[in-house]
Amino acid sequence: MRKYRLIFAGEKIVNGQPVPAVALVSSRSFPYHAPWMKSKLIVALDVESYQDAAALVQVTRDVVDIFKVGSQLFTRVGPRIIEFLHEHGKECFLDLKFHDIPHTVARAVESAAALRVRLLTLHTCGGAEMLEAAAAIPNHPLLLGVTVLTSVG
């Protein structure tokens, strides 16, 4: 039986029209199951509206505990989506790949901690000082370093 670590759900364009799309990523290369995770799934809320995100959370609520909120959704709806997740007993993986001067990233991590974000991405190109500033924030989310974007050849 194949286990999956991430489910990416959103839209893709087929014949010029947006259609729902789901991609499963095998967990064979990432077998670690964190003890605080009830489910082994993280669903990406890569949708364009609060309503679409809420609908996806509702449909998967019985099997998913953590939802990824990326730049597109967070920029469009802001912290309201994180509040929605918490109201429904779910966790947030905030995938914004912070990359800025150390002080700015530290304040952003502090803001994410105040929103009770569970996981947060940082772009490691920001350097050791930036990463250390982020890690120095008390009660920070689990920090995940992004080394290379998949679209960079």
Side-chain angles (χ1 to χ4, degrees):
M1 183 170 105
R2 178 174 282 175
K3 296 178 183 177
Y4 293 94
R5 181 69 178 161
L6 297 174
I7 294 180
F8 295 96
E11 292 181 339
K12 65 180 180 179
I13 304 299
V14 176
N15 297 325
Q17 298 296 317
V19 295
V22 176
L24 302 176
V25 178
S26 173
S27 68
R28 289 182 188 188
S29 63
F30 192 82
Y32 177 71
H33 183 220
W36 50 266
M37 292 177 66
K38 297 177 202 160
S39 166
K40 293 184 179 186
L41 301 177
I42 297 174
V43 170
L45 298 176
D46 291 340
V47 294
E48 293 191 15
S49 72
Y50 179 88
Q51 293 76 15
D52 289 344
L56 188 53
V57 170
Q58 292 300 329
V59 167
T60 60
R61 71 178 176 258
D62 293 334
V63 293
V64 178
D65 294 317
I66 302 176
F67 291 85
K68 181 187 81 76
V69 174
S71 298
Q72 177 185 2
L73 185 61
F74 193 77
T75 301
R76 189 169 299 258
V77 304
R80 181 169 64 135
I81 191 62
I82 298 171
E83 294 162 3
F84 173 84
L85 292 173
H86 290 312
E87 288 167 4
H88 289 82
K90 304 302 177 186
E91 301 278 359
C92 178
F93 166 17
L94 191 58
D95 185 20
L96 300 182
K97 299 171 193 76
F98 292 149
H99 180 195
D100 209 316
I101 62 172
H103 177 79
T104 299
V105 169
R107 298 294 68 84
V109 170
E110 189 174 66
S111 295
L115 290 170
R116 300 184 346 256
V117 165
R118 185 64 156 169
L119 301 106
L120 176 69
T121 55
L122 305 166
H123 207 297
T124 60
C125 289
E129 187 179 344
M130 182 200 81
L131 298 172
E132 290 167 3
I137 299 302
N139 302 312
H140 62 76
L142 178 62
L143 302 173
L144 305 173
V146 175
T147 56
V148 176
L149 299 177
T150 56
S151 62
V152 175

